[in-house]
Amino acid sequence: MRPLLSVEDLSIGFGKDNPVVRNVSFSVAAGETLAIVGESGSGKTISCRAILRILPRAARLDCGRMILAGNGADGDLDLAQISERQMRHVRGNRIAMIFQEPMRSLSPLHRIGNQVSEVLHLHGRCSEAEARQQVLDCFERVGFPDPERTWRSYPFELSGGMRQRAMIAMAMVAKPELLIADEPTTALDVTTQAQVLGLMKELQQETGMAMILVTHDLGVVANMAEQVVVMHKGRVMEAGAAEPILRAPAHPYTQDLFHAAPKIPQEPAARRETGTEGPDKDLILELKHVTKTFTLRSGKSWSKPTLVRACEEVDLELPRGTTLAIVGESGSGKTTAARIALGAETVDPGGEILFRASPGADPLRVHDMDRAARRAFQRQAQMVFQDPYSSLSPRQRILDTLSEPLEIHGTGSRADHRDRAAEMLGLVGLPTDMLTRFPHAFSGGQRQRLSIARALMLDPKLLVCDEPTSALDVSVQEQILSLLEEIRDARQLSYLFISHDLAVVARIADEVAVMRRGMIVEQAPPEVLFHDPKHPYTKALIAAQPVPDVDRPINLKLVAQGAGAPENWPEAFRFAGQDAPPLVPLDPGHKVRCHV
Amino acid sequence: MSRDPSDRGQDERYVDAAPYDPGASLRELERKDLDAPNRVLVWRKFKTHRLGLISGAFLLFCYLMLPFVGFVAPYGPNDRDAEHIYSPPQGVKLFHEGRFLGPFIYPMTSEADLETFQWVVKPDYDTPRQLRFFCEGSQYRLAGLIPADTHLVCAPEGATLFLWGSDRLGRDIFSRILFGAQLSLTVGLIGITVSFVLGIFFGSVAGYFGGKIDWVINRAIEILRSLPELPLWLALSAAVPSNWSPVAVFFIISIILGILDWPGLARSVRAKFLSLREEEYVRAAEMMGASSGRVIRKHLLPNFMSHLIASAALSIPAMILGETALSFLGLGLRAPAVSWGVMLNDAQNLANIEIYPWTAIPMLPIIVVVLAFNFLGDGLRDSLDPYQQ
């Protein structure tokens, strides 16, 4: 079959530099999905933008042909050559695009309906009334329960997932022949991602359009694509049909990527010996009845402020030398829980956080510390932050950044600081000559290593990791997780690990607590949780996780049920309003929030 | 990528044949070019902003010249030549009737036209007079301290050198512009210092502590900004006793300008503080136990100092214009002090400008300097965040 779009020998460069995309070729046929996979800096996004010629101003198209097959009246078009006027006719009309950030790709000043129908006006296809009807149909198709209301709403009234649906509607309403989706689900929660991916697939089957899906996630590829192009540093590493590549990657880079992709294990993994069994557990950190209420200023100016429960009756125990993971989607209260555990946030009266620096020591009451106690606690408990790009001060050399905790706590001389910093750099796998560098010279993975090194400078006993890998590429994520595991075992550290990604947690955690809207809904060791999940929400999270395995597609039914409102959950878990059932131990070590 | 068949494995698959090294990324720097202190990066980026660079160089030249204007100017600021009132600009020429003479001028003769009651000033084309260089002229003080009387260039014996004409008292406008620069350019610096101290103090207090203090400071700023600016200036400067010396008046005026300018700066400081506090490295320092003083000193101040410098460069023009406006209205600096605004005081009268257009020449340096500051500030602002790609 003749491909709808074939890109041949595409090279793109910036200014006088060497091209960032070199000799890339791919093609996509009608009704087919082509996935372009790669990590940041691989040139995947820019290759796609080149198709619509929406490159940054400094970019130049060095060579290459992009042939869009003609339909009926028009002949073939070479998108690299045609005039800007012809290009405008192609954009939105024959080729549509969905961007990564649903929060930023809709204009906040216009109603959704007007934005979506704009493409129909631009291409002058139909009258106003017809356009309105088409848009409303399209809204219904992409899953808005009340299309009329959606037409009237502004973007800020919609959640991230709903905005992405609106974006899809905008792309689909002109019935394009090719849809380019640039990381359409990366900014979404995993259950929302599953539903949006499902929707895109359905729409594609219905309309028979071609789709180019740009992603970094092999799991998404396995669920969506028929053809794959793997890119690395601007070059194609491997290309071909999806199934054989995912079953047996041939290029070493693809193999690496495949191995690095976090997976939920299919077989129960052997339990790591932590030596913390038995009745008198040696707990380093204990959260008891922790509730945190935030006061939000109300939208209407004179009405009462609303109260938001970020955490509700959270009870957690972290045995020494182990990892406790808190997993949840955005707004689940997991980060608040982490900040509470570090004493950075006060708790509502009645909650207690106890910290024991050494076995059998008197517990330190984290929720109620004076200055001296806080200083002592800060030496024992440190945090690793989420965004490696903002967690290191751009003005300080690495040496100053690393020795800052020692300076604050006034220990050791300048020379001691230097030695200690060099030691820590070695521990996280970076060469010592990087001490005099500035953070902006480093890649994301290197910076996250530096951030870990800084957290370890004071030799803490407890490390709170707040999504330490979510801003990193998959292969780097894998390295950082291994590093964290190594350090934990070598230094007998205990981790409180916050993540939105069950697959990441599956590998590092000894115990997993799943949070939803401030409440823990299920808590168990990973081997139990992943193979015998009880709670519908946990089941939805697990089912929604895209796995790079063509034999394990996303189960949308499970996702839809668990991610929906609690009123629609099975009888045993159902509740309405604030009336959640208690967290009860079903088996030893497996707690589920349900009616018994 | 040549898609020749040898690249293809089974099932129509393409596999890149180039060598691939998996472990390369950890030991090398990703962005070698960004491995430098912030000021180096800012300078590197600023250099590419040509207009800003030229403006910066021009302003630097202007400020460096201020102590030496007495040497450059042919006349003193208040030297009067009663014979040549409202003399038009004289051009410096090099050739007289095809003969090279070196720099010279044609002397001006003025006589009263008894029909129009105007001074008619005519150049005398027969007697070219050569300029004198490194000559003795009126007394001045170098940098305000060292008495001297050597000038770079003086009028020839028995003639005048009014490059940009003379005013209603027969004073040289060119020389007065140079002397006026001393006050007009420094009023901005003093004003901005006052505004900086107040703005940084109130802005950082509001931004760091938040809550009630923030509320009070914000309301105070809003009240200050809601006052009509010009009448307030007028009222404040009218309150300056008229028997004070010009220097004292000058200081008071610049302080008044500073006091009225700080709210804008305080707001931007506060906004920057709030956004920097959310940065994870600031949180990290707080989690490590750093005191608020240390956080402000080590992390917040260095990171927004560059923003402050840019906003200072952008608010100096407002100061200069403020001084000009006040003096123009006769409420700022007063004679015998010389500033550009004071000079423009002469150009208040439309008829005056029509007959003697050169009395409005002091507008030129004002426009040029204000534009230069704006370009410089623009360039600085564009290069403040050197980490973007």
Side-chain angles (χ1 to χ4, degrees), chain A residues 39 232 253 256-257 259-262 449 472-481, chain B residues 20 25:
Chain A
E39 298 182 292
H232 177 59
Y253 176 72
D256 285 355
L257 208 58
H259 292 308
R449 283 167 194 265
L472 304 176
D473 282 328
V474 231
S475 60
V476 181
Q477 159 167 304
E478 144 83 19
Q479 295 167 5
I480 295 287
L481 287 176
Chain B
Y20 165 73
S25 60

Side-chain angles (χ1 to χ4, degrees), chain A residues 570-589:
Chain A
E571 184 65 50
F573 308 95
R574 192 176 302 161
F575 69 93
Q578 295 294 315
D579 254 352
L583 196 64
V584 287
L586 284 189
D587 302 313

Side-chain angles (χ1 to χ4, degrees), chain A residues 235 238-239 409 437 446, chain B residues 13-14 16 26 35 288 299:
Chain A
R235 286 172 51 85
E238 188 166 354
H409 288 272
R437 308 281 183 192
Q446 288 171 323
Chain B
R13 197 192 302 188
Y14 165 82
D16 188 47
L26 189 55
D35 180 29
M288 283 182 259
H299 293 290

